[in-house]
Amino acid sequence: GQSSAQPPGAPREVRIGVVSFLSGPAAPHSGIPSRQGAQLLIEALNAGEVPRPYNTPGIGGVPIRAVYVDEAGPVDKQVTEFRRLVLDARVNVVVGYISSANCLAIAPVAEELRTLTVFSVCGIQRVFEDADYKYVFRTRAHQIIDALGIARYVLLVKPDLKTIAGINQDYAWGRDSWATFKETILQLKPDVRVVAELWPPLFSGEYSAEIARLLAAKPDVIFTSLWGGDLESFVGQATPVRLFEESLVAMTVADNLLVPGPGRFVPRGIVFGARGLYGPLTPETTLSRWFGGRFRARYGYFPIHDPFNYANSILGVKAAFEKAIAATRRWPTVEEVVRAFEYLEFEGAAGRIRLALGNGHQAVEPVGFGIVRSFDPTKREVTLERVIRFRVECVNPPAGVKSLDWIRRGFPGAVCP
Amino acid sequence: MQWAIVLLLAIVAPLLPGWTVFLLSVALAKALVVLGIGLLMRGGLVSFGHGMYYAAGAYGVAFAMKLMGIREALVLAVLGLVAGGLLASVLGMLLARYRGLFFAMLNLALSMMVYGALLKFYWVTGGTDGMAVRQATFGGFVPPAGLLRVAYFYLSLGVVAIVVSMAHRLVRSPMGYLLRALRDNEVRVNYMGGWVEQTIYRVYVLSGGLAGLGGSLVVLNVGHAVPDFAYWSQSGEFVFVALFGGYGHVLGPLSGSILFEFVRSYAYKVSPYTWQLLLGAMLALVILFLPEGLWSLVERRMARRDRWGWSWRPSS
Amino acid sequence: MGVVLETVELTKYFGVVKAADGISVRVEEGELVGIIGPNGSGKTTFLNLITGYVRPARGSIWYRGKDITGLSPRVVTRMGIARSFQIPQLYGGLTVLENMLVALAIRAGRSGEFWRPLQEDARLEEAMQTLSEFGLEGAAAQGVSSLAEGERKLLDVALSFALKPRLLLLDEPTSGVSVKDKFEVMDRLVRVLKSSGVTTVFVEHDLDVVMRYAERVLVFQEGRVIADGPPGIVLSDAEVKSAIVGTG
Amino acid sequence: MLEARGLSVRLSGFSVLRGISLDVPSGKIVGLVGRNGAGKTTTLRSIMGLIPAVCDQLTLGGEDLSALPPEGRARRGIGYMPEDRRLISGLTAEENILVPGWALGLTDASERLRRIYSLMPAVEALAGRTAGQLSGGQQKLVALARSFMNGRRVLLLDEPFEGVAMGLAQRMAEAIRRFQEQELDLGVLVAESDLKRARLLAQKVYIIERGEIVGEE
Amino acid sequence: MTQLALIAVGGLFSASWLFLVSLGLTLIYGVLRVLNVAHGSLYALGAYLGSSMVLVALEKGHGVPVSYLILLGAALLVGLSVGPFLERVFLRRIYQKEEVLVLLLTFAIFLMLEDVMKLVWGVQPYVVNAPYVALGVVKVGGVRQPAYPFLLTGIAVTMGGLVWAGMARTRFGKLVTSVIEDREISAALGVNVPRIFTGAFTVGAVLAALGGAFTAPMISVVPGVAVEVIVLGFAVVAIGGLGSIEGAALGSLLVGFLRSASVHLFPELDLVAIYLVMALVLLFRPQGLFGRAEMRRV
Ligand SMILES: Nc1ncnc2c1ncn2[C@@H]1O[C@H](COP(=O)(O)OP(=O)(O)OP(=O)(O)O)[C@@H](O)[C@H]1O
Ligand SMILES: Nc1ncnc2c1ncn2[C@@H]1O[C@H](COP(=O)(O)OP(=O)(O)OP(=O)(O)O)[C@@H](O)[C@H]1O
Ligand SMILES: [Mg+2]
Ligand SMILES: [Mg+2]
């Protein structure tokens, strides 16, 4: 009754700009799955088919209209498109962004235009650690959890590890990931030696020299934050020479390998990360069962982290709006939505999301890893063994502490297994 | 002619929707880079590396704000000009010896090394995440939010108006003609006692400065500097726009830049999946059917009007 | 009367081709020297050597007592030596008038000027005047790429003449210029050159032209000067005759 | 052999040729004489198909040429020597001469080359040298030799003796005459600015002035 | 010792690949004076078609050995169909214009083909590495190395030899030289200019597609593979001297070995290695290693 009726002052539709890579090398593994997740969820929301607590149609009974935008292109292009979304396409909310640089560039613009903007995938901690924003939120944890978590994981499964090596793309994500991993390992086990730090350029695709070097160096653990096509090329070239048997290879974005496409596989014995509890690590909840099932039925594979992240952003928007509506009993202003959004804790598509950091704008999440025992290419599923999940308090710094400082100071306040 | 256009832009700008004003500001700022590249192209020199000067301007602004706390828009713009010009005056000493595709490729190589440096020294430059640039002040004041974009727009417009009119003078001056002359026949220039390298060097530094100026204005508008500014595809885009608009006339780069930004934004809007197809097709059409650039349309029109005017005179 | 130009044992081989094989020549102030010789005998190369376009393997070049060996064409030109070309060297994208204006602007040392227009009144006037001396005033507004070959040739000569050099080197100035215009143009050119005391060296195949205008003739063969003297005497020399008419 | 009637050319608004008519009968050398800018080069180029021309008739041995592209005209046996030499500077002199032979797949190319060398021994001496490095006159010579390669029915020679020393010019003229004797029904059209020299070589001379034929002798 | 061996082998692999990628580029530049940005697209087309054809063949139960022939076939198919199409529809119209203009036209073609490929093959990644895996591994200095790159080396050497012989030794090569230098006079001498252009561009297109098709088994074929290839190819070609096949070979070796060495000795340099080589070479030999400095005849 009450819940499906529109509040007074409601517009005819809520327009949401959805930004992700629709072209270029980041599209197949990240941009397109993201868009798929967003589209599926928005359609289901409008039809009122999402399970509780999101079973009311649209947002506050108002249907959602999505405007999809390509994230590919230079940063000035992104800023222009953001402005066009807000000022020309008149969207009420912008959701998305995968590239960290774009998130950093968009945040101040969102403030200027007073537009509720919810980042979905980008992970750079600087967004909320170096600045305060009012209209900008991020419904996923920052990237620290991946590299930090996987470092803790390898120390647990291979406590006697002596040497590590890293192969990471030569750009911010690769640099940050490696720094986090290395710092964490050295913090927790100072006698570990780093035997190789390799920096292939982004999208280089040809890794025979790097692989030879890694084989020759024989490190106990190899850390990599490669993703997308680069990761697949690496896996394809490393498998025949049995790199994954020589060293324990830890991949933070291994779930990229599950995106459908011919001939692709997940090697056995690697440490599998999915940037949170997604993909094969997804916890069983009503929503995750529904979303995963729907997604698989429609797109032929179980959602990896990107579709979940986009879905979470949209669910967060809905939760915030409806919280504000409940408080004001009419259609809320953007400031009221923002106030409702801050420190919000809502049911995400794969477990609860808590906006605990950055003055209530930045989510914290648990993370988990496992070792691949087998891979089923038809269902595109892996079976993991030795799965360990790290709770939020283990891998996220406390509020007000910068991630890197937190690591360097020895994780004060961390609660870990 | 150019003043009429400037006036027109100045008057209509505040009436346009907000994102258009922003788009115009960015397009105007980029037009400066394109203009500089167009000047070089008049001398037969195509640079596929001007992104580095563009980046120099942008990062110049970012560092000036971060390290020196300078926030005055005009000062920052001039700083961008100086940053681009300085870098160009160093590299130009080397590049002035090169012609043709080697000039193009060496520029590309150098700009990719600048790109690499911006990436490598990530602890200073922020790597690919880039550097944020805060709002600038105008005469010490921060314009209210509603007027900020318009202020930036007028800043860009003012700078462009000055630069375009200077460029207009330049292309008709001895130096401008010498540039065209050396493109046609360097041997003859030498045998007239003209100094080819020096002319190229001067124009190169000038175009580097303009690229820096453009970079500083863009980054003030956009608010974020990233290494991609120095990436080869950005440089390629500038060259493209120079041809798209037509570098034969100083207004070509200006109109080309504005049109290109709108076309691209339009393509993003109407077909977010296949904007490249749309953009590519449009560009191919322009190249195939208007190889002198869009501005040649205008010139053809004006030429026709002239002839028409003639026919009114009594025949002798 | 001083020595304007002196070359000492200039030598340049291109592979086995002896383009210059020890050329020692002296040109006095105000002289009008013609160079003849079979095709490929090194005439153009001689001019290229003097102006620094080609560096000699051996030997030296002196201009008004200064050693100019190895200096670049630009520097040499700045010192007052201008040349025209066998194959016209023009600015294909500019009009005839603009070609001339560029020459005048560079001569005046104004090539770095970027705030005043090229087409200043005074400069325009001089340009038109120079063009009309070569019968090109009618083609002033025409793009040079559409000129007939003879007109291109004339413009090429006009451009070097416009530099007001003290030593003018002309490479086949009238080849391609039709017979009717040839003498007319040469008459005028020589008159001006003489009256302003410009020393001139010109390469020519047309013996009528050489006979009529040259005060002294150098005969080239296989990179060497085989005869040097007044045209009447040189051209009746048997060896010269066989060189000019004989092997080629 | 070659007949042109009412050949007109307009270039960037100027009427450069106005109704030129001329005949180049087989076995004859015909001169086309005029001052600079009279339109000699333009005439030859338009016969070769290098510039668009309007004409009432342009035939070679009765066959209409006007619709053929330049290479088609070359295939019909028209050899062309441009005024400004236009050798391919990256190839050797001999390769330059062979280009028409290769392009048209002439089976007798090497035989013709031998004949050309025997007509012009001076060319053979340059055979192996890179064309771009030859002196101006040497290039003229090679360009003439090249026109012989496929000039079986008509030769179009544009000021062939310009910039050529006297002795060589005489030998070139001699070579043209002898070549014509060998190629039985060859017609030659020579553009010249010197009436005297044209008279020496040609059996018939057209006088061209400002794009029009104003006389013949 | 092991390290040296690894650097050498890695350098050879890298060089083979680079050479394969840049050969067609240098050919088309040498022949048409076109710096062909669409080269990357042809490479990507070769990669996509190669992968999908091999995939179909494997599904139909054909053995892996056939797949090498299929890759070759895919490259020929792409080159022989798309090459002439692009040349006739686009490039032919503007050869007489400036080099940059043609370059930018190929850039426009590149943009269009990016999306055309997306429409045909979708955005899903293709990993078809059976041909890569099937060749097994060899040991170098005690370290396992894939054998497939040796196949690349073989193909690179063969193709390089064929193209070099074709250009330097044949009449076709000479006619092409003539057409490039002076289109008009070539036509007047009887050269069928359009046919020469189509022919040359098609050969270049086949080479580009070949590079893509044989790279495909090593990598994940995704949108955007075209982009990286272009700059790398350009850099190699510029280092070697535009239009020079020997130059491209030497350029590939230089870059390949430097990259391989940097991975082993100073990984930080990997990203800029190629540009470093390029800048250094161009500084000391502006015309590239094998480029000819041309002096204008006056
Ligand atoms: N594209 C063009 N636009 C305008 N005028 C042109 C063009 N091409 C040629 N002309 C003019 O046409 C006239 C004829 O030129 P052409 O080259 O045929 O003369 P020519 O008789 O061969 O002279 P020359 O003996 O000097 O070679 C010249 O006045 C020339 O300026
Ligand atoms: N750059 C060069 N490389 C190789 N050979 C050259 C070069 N320049 C000139 N030559 C050769 O040197 C010789 C002399 O050439 P040059 O041009 O000086 O002759 P020329 O007397 O001017 O002849 P012409 O009367 O035909 O113009 C010729 O055999 C020519 O081929
Ligand atoms: Mg000469
Ligand atoms: Mg002529």
Side-chain angles (χ1 to χ4, degrees):
Chain A
Q2 161 79 27
S3 57
S4 66
Q6 293 183 355
R12 267 193 303 136
E13 56 188 16
V14 181
R15 291 166 172 247
I16 301 187
V18 179
V19 189
S20 74
F21 285 99
L22 303 179
S23 59
H29 304 83
S30 210
I32 297 296
S34 299
R35 204 224 64 221
Q36 290 170 338
Q39 192 175 348
L40 182 146
L41 183 71
I42 288 172
E43 283 170 18
L45 281 175
N46 283 340
E49 293 166 3
V50 184
R52 286 166 64 81
Y54 302 108
N55 51 349
T56 56
I59 291 178
V62 179
I64 303 170
R65 193 62 189 271
V67 182
Y68 296 99
V69 173
D70 191 356
E71 196 183 333
V75 65
D76 55 288
K77 190 68 229 147
Q78 293 317 311
V79 172
T80 308
E81 287 311 297
F82 184 89
R83 289 178 182 277
R84 188 178 61 72
L85 273 178
V86 174
L87 299 169
D88 180 47
R90 309 237 160 244
V91 300
N92 308 86
V93 183
V94 179
V95 156
Y97 293 103
I98 292 165
S99 140
S100 295
N102 288 342
C103 284
L104 287 166
I106 290 299
V109 187
E111 288 295 287
E112 179 191 330
L113 298 178
R114 304 210 174 100
T115 302
L116 177 59
T117 301
V118 186
F119 294 149
S120 305
V121 172
C122 65
I124 175 82
Q125 65 271 21
R126 265 170 61 194
V127 178
F128 294 101
E129 289 187 355
D130 290 359
D132 284 327
Y133 295 109
K134 182 172 170 196
Y135 297 91
V136 183
F137 294 84
R138 177 158 60 194
T139 50
R140 67 151 295 129
H142 47 51
Q143 65 186 5
I144 295 295
I145 65 165
D146 307 318
L148 190 157
I150 217 166
R152 285 192 174 273
Y153 180 85
V154 297
L155 285 172
L156 288 175
V157 297
K158 205 171 177 106
D160 56 341
L161 92 106
K162 301 235 164 26
T163 51
I164 57 171
I167 170 167
N168 298 282
Q169 290 137 317
D170 197 352
Y171 80 116
W173 159 261
R175 295 267 171 195
D176 290 346
S177 295
W178 172 245
T180 307
F181 176 82
K182 187 169 113 180
E183 296 260 352
T184 305
I185 293 275
L186 295 179
Q187 190 61 240
L188 298 171
K189 197 167 190 302
D191 59 335
V192 168
R193 257 188 329 117
V194 178
V195 293
E197 293 175 276
L198 303 178
W199 301 108
L202 191 55
F203 309 132
S204 70
E206 205 271 320
Y207 300 99
S208 47
E210 282 87 353
I211 292 170
R213 169 96 196 265
L214 291 172
L215 281 171
K218 288 194 180 31
D220 294 332
V221 170
I222 298 168
F223 169 82
T224 180
S225 60
L226 291 175
W227 51 267
D230 282 5
L231 176 64
E232 286 170 356
S233 299
F234 175 71
V235 166
Q237 290 160 35
T239 307
V241 293
R242 305 216 284 273
L243 179 68
F244 303 123
E245 294 161 38
E246 299 277 337
S247 302
L248 183 64
V249 180
M251 300 179 183
T252 52
V253 203
D255 63 340
N256 271 191
L257 296 169
L258 298 174
V259 170
R264 300 160 56 262
F265 63 95
V266 186
R268 286 191 51 191
I270 60 162
V271 176
F272 187 103
R275 303 203 59 207
L277 296 179
Y278 303 112
L281 295 152
T282 308
E284 282 276 313
T285 69
T286 324
L287 265 176
S288 76
R289 220 173 303 124
W290 172 82
F291 186 72
R294 271 273 179 124
F295 193 95
R296 175 191 289 290
R298 182 149 165 191
Y299 303 114
Y301 66 111
F302 192 83
I304 58 173
H305 72 273
D306 309 77
F308 271 118
N309 287 158
Y310 272 66
N312 283 344
S313 292
I314 294 162
L315 291 177
V317 168
K318 180 173 162 76
F321 260 92
E322 288 175 356
K323 185 176 157 196
I325 291 169
T328 58
R329 305 195 159 274
R330 58 171 166 76
W331 192 254
T333 64
V334 67
E335 278 74 20
E336 284 160 350
V337 178
V338 163
R339 221 166 302 132
F341 217 149
E342 280 173 356
Y343 292 105
L344 186 69
E345 184 173 344
F346 63 97
E347 191 60 36
R352 289 190 80 71
I353 301 285
R354 209 148 41 87
L355 296 179
L357 302 180
N359 298 327
H361 289 250
Q362 163 69 51
V364 290
E365 283 186 279
V367 68
F369 304 92
I371 289 177
V372 174
R373 186 170 53 193
S374 66
F375 169 64
D376 177 347
T378 49
K379 290 167 82 180
R380 302 217 67 79
E381 271 177 5
V382 284
T383 318
L384 301 179
E385 56 191 13
R386 309 191 66 179
V387 171
I388 300 176
R389 293 191 169 80
F390 298 97
R391 49 196 293 194
V392 165
E393 293 74 17
C394 176
V395 289
N396 294 271
V401 181
K402 290 196 180 184
S403 310
L404 289 177
D405 295 343
W406 184 57
I407 298 173
R408 290 199 190 105
R409 277 194 245 132
F411 320 97
V415 183
C416 284
Chain B
M1 182 73 189
Q2 59 265 42
W3 293 112
I5 290 184
V6 166
L7 208 68
L8 183 77
L9 279 172
I11 294 168
V12 300
L15 310 173
L16 296 172
W19 71 281
T20 318
V21 173
F22 175 79
L23 198 68
L24 274 175
S25 312
V26 171
L28 284 173
K30 285 189 175 173
L32 294 171
V33 193
V34 178
L35 190 67
I37 285 181
L39 280 180
L40 275 176
M41 282 166 92
R42 293 173 79 88
L45 296 164
V46 184
S47 164
F48 277 103
H50 259 49
M52 66 181 144
Y53 304 118
Y54 178 63
Y59 276 87
V61 166
F63 279 116
M65 267 198 181
K66 190 172 154 188
L67 304 179
M68 296 185 276
I70 302 174
R71 286 191 66 188
E72 187 55 37
L74 210 57
V75 177
L76 290 169
V78 172
L79 268 177
L81 178 84
V82 172
L86 268 182
L87 185 59
S89 65
V90 175
L91 298 181
M93 286 192 244
L94 201 148
L95 288 162
R97 298 184 356 231
Y98 296 82
R99 305 288 181 277
L101 280 162
F102 297 105
F103 178 83
M105 296 313 281
L106 195 54
N107 267 292
L108 185 141
L110 291 171
S111 83
M112 287 306 288
M113 288 172 71
V114 169
Y115 170 79
L118 290 173
L119 232 76
K120 287 284 170 194
F121 300 106
Y122 54 94
W123 60 91
V124 204
T125 63
T128 40
D129 284 343
M131 292 177 75
V133 170
R134 290 186 301 154
Q135 277 172 19
T137 55
F138 291 81
F141 293 104
V142 181
L147 285 180
L148 181 68
R149 292 298 140 196
V150 182
Y152 276 137
F153 172 77
Y154 280 121
L155 174 68
S156 303
L157 187 65
V159 171
V160 166
I162 294 167
V163 169
V164 164
S165 70
M166 280 170 58
H168 189 60
R169 280 196 96 99
L170 189 146
V171 298
R172 289 180 309 163
S173 72
M175 192 161 152
Y177 273 94
L178 192 64
L179 204 54
R180 282 172 66 186
L182 66 85
R183 165 202 182 132
D184 288 343
N185 194 336
E186 260 184 51
V187 171
R188 188 64 188 213
V189 173
N190 280 322
Y191 272 108
M192 283 183 176
W195 197 346
V196 173
E197 270 76 23
Q198 192 190 49
T199 308
I200 291 178
Y201 180 74
R202 287 178 179 168
V203 176
Y204 190 77
V205 174
L206 177 69
S207 76
L210 286 180
L213 183 61
S216 64
L217 289 177
V218 165
V219 84
L220 284 177
N221 274 293
V222 171
H224 203 75
V226 287
D228 283 352
F229 283 16
Y231 201 65
W232 67 274
S233 55
Q234 178 67 68
S235 307
E237 186 185 300
F238 290 136
V239 175
F240 206 115
V241 175
L243 282 163
F244 182 70
Y247 59 90
H249 190 283
V250 286
L251 289 177
L254 186 63
S255 50
S257 182
I258 293 175
L259 222 76
F260 180 78
E261 291 293 326
F262 274 97
V263 162
R264 186 165 61 171
S265 202
Y266 179 77
Y268 263 74
K269 180 177 169 176
V270 297
S271 65
Y273 294 95
T274 48
W275 59 271
Q276 298 186 90
L277 189 62
L278 206 66
L279 192 62
M282 274 191 267
L283 297 177
L285 286 179
V286 170
I287 295 171
L288 287 177
F289 298 106
L290 282 176
E292 253 99 83
L294 289 171
W295 191 259
S296 64
L297 263 187
V298 181
E299 286 193 326
R300 243 183 263 167
R301 252 221 123 85
M302 292 198 302
R304 198 174 309 141
R305 207 175 49 200
D306 278 357
R307 216 172 300 147
W308 186 74
W310 274 103
S311 69
W312 277 94
R313 303 201 178 157
S315 54
S316 50
Chain C
M1 283 253 175
V3 178
V4 173
L5 178 74
E6 179 167 9
T7 66
V8 183
E9 287 294 315
L10 272 190
T11 305
K12 176 75 188 175
Y13 292 179
F14 292 109
V16 294
V17 180
K18 297 173 180 173
D21 194 13
I23 301 179
S24 297
V25 168
R26 209 183 244 252
V27 179
E28 305 277 334
E29 182 92 52
E31 264 191 306
L32 195 57
V33 181
I35 297 182
I36 58 173
N39 295 108
S41 57
K43 305 180 294 294
T44 300
T45 304
F46 181 59
L47 301 191
N48 284 345
L49 285 166
I50 295 172
T51 52
Y53 193 68
V54 172
R55 262 164 212 235
R58 224 159 357 96
S60 57
I61 308 152
W62 299 80
Y63 171 65
R64 292 179 190 278
K66 272 182 261 165
D67 186 359
I68 59 166
T69 323
L71 297 184
S72 71
R74 179 178 64 84
V75 177
V76 171
T77 307
R78 280 250 161 255
M79 296 173 81
I81 306 179
R83 80 172 277 192
S84 77
F85 297 84
Q86 184 173 0
I87 300 163
Q89 301 291 318
L90 307 172
Y91 305 129
L94 305 184
T95 65
V96 172
L97 178 63
E98 287 166 343
N99 268 268
M100 183 54 74
L101 288 169
V102 168
L104 297 180
I106 296 178
R107 186 194 73 200
R110 293 301 168 85
S111 58
E113 212 171 80
F114 58 87
W115 60 95
R116 258 183 299 186
L118 175 72
Q119 313 211 347
E120 283 177 344
D121 289 346
R123 195 178 289 146
L124 214 59
E125 199 171 311
E126 188 186 345
M128 285 310 290
Q129 183 172 352
T130 315
L131 287 178
S132 65
E133 273 172 43
F134 288 83
L136 288 168
E137 73 278 15
Q142 198 174 337
V144 296
S145 54
S146 65
L147 287 182
E149 192 61 20
E151 298 166 323
R152 291 169 65 81
K153 197 78 207 200
L154 285 176
L155 179 57
D156 187 86
V157 175
L159 289 177
S160 53
F161 175 74
L163 295 176
K164 293 212 173 140
R166 304 187 51 201
L167 170 62
L168 183 60
L169 310 171
L170 302 172
D171 199 351
E172 304 193 15
T174 65
S175 85
V177 179
S178 57
V179 187
K180 285 194 188 106
D181 303 310
K182 226 177 212 174
F183 291 97
E184 202 181 311
V185 171
M186 278 304 277
D187 274 345
R188 256 185 289 174
L189 185 64
V190 167
R191 200 176 332 118
V192 182
L193 291 174
K194 274 283 148 194
S195 69
S196 49
V198 179
T199 314
T200 308
V201 176
F202 69 100
V203 176
E204 187 54 73
H205 286 297
D206 188 332
L207 296 183
D208 293 343
V209 173
V210 177
M211 275 303 265
R212 183 142 154 200
Y213 298 106
E215 297 163 2
R216 182 180 150 203
V217 176
L218 302 176
V219 184
F220 274 52
Q221 190 179 23
E222 292 184 1
R224 271 173 295 117
V225 180
I226 58 163
D228 180 353
I233 299 172
V234 167
L235 290 180
S236 52
D237 184 278
E239 194 194 345
V240 170
K241 268 190 181 153
S242 87
I244 300 293
V245 183
T247 59
Chain D
M1 174 67 36
L2 181 76
E3 286 182 57
R5 297 275 168 274
L7 198 62
S8 296
V9 170
R10 284 183 75 82
L11 289 171
S12 44
F14 296 98
S15 184
V16 177
L17 292 188
R18 283 169 298 201
I20 298 271
S21 296
L22 44 77
D23 280 322
V24 184
S26 65
K28 286 252 164 62
I29 299 180
V30 176
L32 180 64
V33 180
R35 292 170 63 144
N36 296 129
K40 305 180 292 292
T41 301
T42 311
T43 307
L44 265 55
R45 284 167 57 81
S46 58
I47 293 174
M48 204 58 227
L50 297 173
I51 31 178
V54 185
C55 59
D56 301 333
Q57 186 199 345
L58 182 61
T59 53
L60 179 68
E63 187 192 359
D64 184 22
L65 290 180
S66 52
L68 289 176
E71 69 262 23
R73 300 184 196 200
R75 185 170 295 282
R76 301 288 184 291
I78 305 183
Y80 175 54
M81 172 190 181
E83 183 174 14
D84 45 1
R85 308 165 188 87
R86 306 278 281 272
L87 299 186
I88 306 305
S89 64
L91 301 181
T92 65
E94 179 169 296
E95 286 167 348
N96 263 281
I97 299 169
L98 282 168
V99 162
W102 291 334
L104 300 170
L106 300 184
T107 46
D108 58 345
S110 50
E111 187 263 327
R112 290 184 78 91
L113 184 68
R114 234 175 302 123
R115 248 173 57 208
I116 291 168
Y117 284 160
S118 73
L119 286 172
M120 292 186 275
V123 176
E124 190 164 15
L126 303 172
R129 304 208 4 223
T130 307
Q133 295 171 344
L134 298 177
S135 82
Q138 292 167 335
Q139 292 190 2
K140 273 280 204 230
L141 192 64
V142 176
L144 177 67
R146 185 174 62 179
S147 72
F148 285 4
M149 180 49 80
N150 70 319
R152 280 165 292 123
R153 299 168 75 187
V154 171
L155 284 183
L156 304 177
L157 308 178
D158 200 349
E159 309 210 19
F161 311 115
E162 217 44 78
V164 176
M166 209 176 72
L168 184 57
Q170 282 167 10
R171 268 169 289 131
M172 276 166 71
E174 189 51 39
I176 295 170
R177 259 186 237 112
R178 291 203 10 232
F179 181 68
Q180 196 198 30
E181 283 159 17
Q182 292 177 1
E183 299 277 328
L184 300 168
D185 41 72
L186 180 77
V188 182
L189 178 61
V190 184
E192 248 308 332
S193 61
D194 185 346
L195 186 58
K196 257 194 295 175
R197 195 148 53 180
R199 282 208 191 105
L200 281 179
L201 183 66
Q203 288 98 19
K204 178 171 158 196
V205 173
Y206 290 100
I207 312 287
I208 180 171
E209 242 173 58
R210 275 187 243 108
E212 278 172 292
I213 300 286
V214 296
E216 45 189 281
E217 51 183 77
Chain E
M1 203 45 231
T2 301
Q3 195 175 50
L4 226 61
L6 288 179
I7 289 176
V9 172
L12 186 66
F13 289 174
S14 189
S16 312
W17 182 77
L18 284 168
F19 183 65
L20 211 51
V21 165
S22 51
L23 181 60
L25 203 60
T26 202
L27 176 77
I28 291 183
Y29 182 79
V31 174
L32 307 182
R33 289 283 175 271
V34 170
L35 210 46
N36 180 23
V37 179
H39 187 79
S41 315
L42 288 158
Y43 168 93
L45 278 171
Y48 268 117
L49 193 69
S51 314
S52 44
M53 278 171 59
V54 168
L55 205 72
V56 171
L58 292 178
E59 270 167 13
K60 288 214 171 128
H62 293 286
V64 179
V66 192
S67 63
Y68 302 102
L69 286 179
I70 292 177
L71 290 174
L72 186 66
L76 286 172
L77 202 64
V78 169
L80 296 179
S81 59
V82 184
F85 173 79
L86 293 182
E87 202 277 335
R88 296 222 172 112
V89 175
F90 295 100
L91 294 172
R92 172 162 301 177
R93 294 160 200 275
I94 63 160
Y95 282 130
Q96 58 280 17
K97 299 277 165 34
E98 308 155 80
E99 279 178 8
V100 251
L101 210 59
V102 186
L103 189 155
L104 290 175
L105 180 64
T106 63
F107 176 66
I109 296 173
F110 160 80
L111 278 181
M112 290 189 276
L113 286 180
E114 265 313 84
D115 276 349
V116 168
M117 282 185 274
K118 209 156 80 178
L119 293 175
V120 175
W121 280 281
V123 284
Q124 56 177 346
Y126 280 73
V127 176
V128 181
N129 66 349
Y132 182 85
V133 177
L135 290 187
V137 296
V138 288
K139 284 218 167 185
V140 175
V143 174
R144 276 185 297 275
Q145 291 277 308
Y148 185 83
F150 287 111
L151 176 68
L152 282 193
T153 311
I155 295 174
V157 171
T158 315
M159 286 299 147
L162 281 178
V163 173
W164 180 78
M167 285 307 294
R169 294 282 162 79
T170 65
R171 291 170 180 190
F172 179 76
K174 305 281 182 194
L175 289 183
V176 162
T177 313
S178 144
V179 168
I180 295 154
E181 199 175 305
D182 193 331
R183 219 157 295 194
E184 186 184 81
I185 210 66
S186 300
L189 295 176
V191 183
N192 190 335
V193 176
R195 211 170 55 204
I196 296 270
F197 276 136
T198 314
F201 191 82
T202 305
V203 174
V206 168
L207 289 171
L210 198 70
F214 279 90
T215 308
M218 304 171 34
I219 61 164
S220 166
V221 184
V222 291
V225 284
V227 186
E228 299 307 305
V229 169
I230 299 167
V231 237
L232 288 181
F234 278 2
V236 168
V237 169
I239 290 168
L242 290 159
S244 157
I245 289 155
E246 307 92 300
L250 193 62
S252 305
L253 284 170
L254 261 178
V255 175
F257 278 97
L258 189 77
R259 274 190 66 182
S260 169
S262 73
V263 166
H264 285 272
L265 306 174
F266 16 81
E268 287 285 349
L269 272 190
D270 201 357
L271 179 75
V272 284
I274 187 163
Y275 301 106
L276 209 63
V277 177
M278 184 164 152
L280 286 177
V281 167
L282 290 185
L283 279 186
F284 294 107
R285 261 193 80 82
Q287 67 276 36
L289 293 172
F290 277 80
R292 252 188 296 148
E294 270 177 37
M295 186 166 164
R296 186 177 184 136
R297 190 64 236 252
V298 293

